Amino acid sequence: MGDSTGQAGGTAKRLAEVRETIAAAARRAGRDPAAVTLVAVSKTHGPEAIRAAFAAGQLDFGENYTQELAAKRAALADLPGLRWHMIGHLQRNKVKLVVPGVHLLQTVDSPRLAEALDRRLAEHDGRLDVLVQVDVAGEEQKAGAAPDEVPALVDALRARPRLRLRGLMAIPPWTLDGEGSRPYFRALRELAGRLGLAPDERELSMGMSDSYAVAVEEGATLVRVGTAIFGPRA
Ligand SMILES: *Cc1c(COP(=O)(O)O)cnc(C)c1O
């Protein structure tokens, strides 16, 4: 077996394991496993790794950096139904690199970014699904809106119909294990509950390789998993 075939087989096997872990966590919580979307975080991994995952049935991919996302989108334009999620911080002067072409922008964290996105969307009468990124732990200098800023940001998004609010996203502080993230996942779910979100605004993007099972138990509808699928990043 050639090297690339072996790597592709490894990706397919790890994907199957991650999907099974998600399904088991959903069942433990009395949730429908189909209510959880796995976003395969492919940052730093090349187009071939993404092709291998796609061949194993994976459609949703997450990237952190605008240039890398734009380059991979171009390299993989032949794959039908592939959906890109922007999960990294987006600078206002980079919105052209993700709009159009991104399925879900998970990192809206300020009214000024919403305004820049809206201006870009107006140029081609586009629409964009977005999540509000919340700094659940209130860490200084971390990306994301502070919990007490979220209601105003939600209102700002609703005032711009080209931007469609779909829910909330969070990256908790690093902890030794997934269990340590549980209070932050719970905090995000409770914040969503207090916001009075419409049924189509209730996505919760939370959980990474070390914590996605816990996140599913706490109500995640999107989990962002990189290392557990593609292996360690260089
Ligand atoms: C890199 C990244 C992930 C995936 O992290 P892993 O630990 O490799 O699963 C998820 N979410 C965000 C925002 C990331 O930057």
Side-chain angles (χ1 to χ4, degrees):
M1 188 158 47
D3 189 42
S4 68
T5 311
Q7 278 175 16
T11 300
K13 182 164 167 285
R14 288 190 296 266
L15 258 177
E17 287 165 359
V18 169
R19 289 188 189 124
E20 186 41 52
T21 301
I22 290 170
R27 286 192 295 268
R28 279 199 298 282
R31 301 184 57 207
D32 178 1
V36 183
T37 298
L38 171 61
V39 179
V41 177
S42 45
K43 63 174 178 238
T44 78
H45 296 285
E48 291 318 308
I50 297 173
R51 285 186 189 279
F54 182 86
Q58 180 63 29
L59 291 178
D60 292 273
F61 292 88
E63 289 283 340
N64 287 60
Y65 308 104
T66 47
Q67 307 278 4
E68 187 178 348
L69 172 53
K72 287 180 186 169
R73 218 173 68 211
L76 298 166
D78 59 308
L79 299 182
L82 190 154
R83 295 186 286 257
W84 292 107
H85 296 244
M86 175 60 181
I87 64 170
H89 179 67
L90 180 60
Q91 290 172 287
R92 279 176 291 138
N93 61 354
K94 298 280 174 60
V95 298
K96 278 195 161 90
L97 287 170
V98 299
V99 179
V102 161
H103 169 71
L104 181 64
L105 170 61
Q106 299 203 6
T107 52
V108 174
D109 61 357
S110 73
R112 294 172 76 200
L113 176 58
E115 185 193 342
L117 289 162
D118 194 48
R119 221 179 301 124
R120 171 66 175 161
L121 288 161
E123 288 169 16
H124 56 99
D125 196 26
R127 302 286 182 274
L128 180 65
D129 285 356
V130 301
L131 303 182
V132 166
Q133 182 178 357
V134 184
D135 176 11
V136 268
E139 295 171 286
E140 291 293 317
Q141 325 215 327
K142 187 138 180 205
D148 62 0
E149 297 169 350
V150 172
L153 184 49
V154 163
D155 286 345
L157 288 169
R158 288 184 178 143
R160 299 183 184 278
R162 291 185 191 90
L163 292 165
R164 291 186 297 220
L165 175 66
R166 291 302 187 205
L168 307 180
M169 176 271 211
I171 311 170
W174 186 85
T175 55
L176 272 178
D177 62 9
E179 218 36 70
S181 295
R182 191 184 292 276
Y184 301 106
F185 296 153
R186 211 168 268 171
L188 189 70
R189 187 188 67 218
E190 289 170 359
L191 174 63
R194 288 195 299 276
L195 288 170
L197 300 173
D200 65 354
E201 297 175 338
R202 292 181 191 159
E203 301 282 351
L204 291 178
S205 174
M206 53 192 199
M208 319 198 332
S209 288
D210 61 349
S211 59
Y212 66 95
V214 174
V216 169
E217 288 173 3
E218 294 298 334
T221 65
L222 294 151
V223 291
R224 311 178 306 266
V225 180
T227 308
I229 296 169
F230 296 110
R233 288 180 287 273

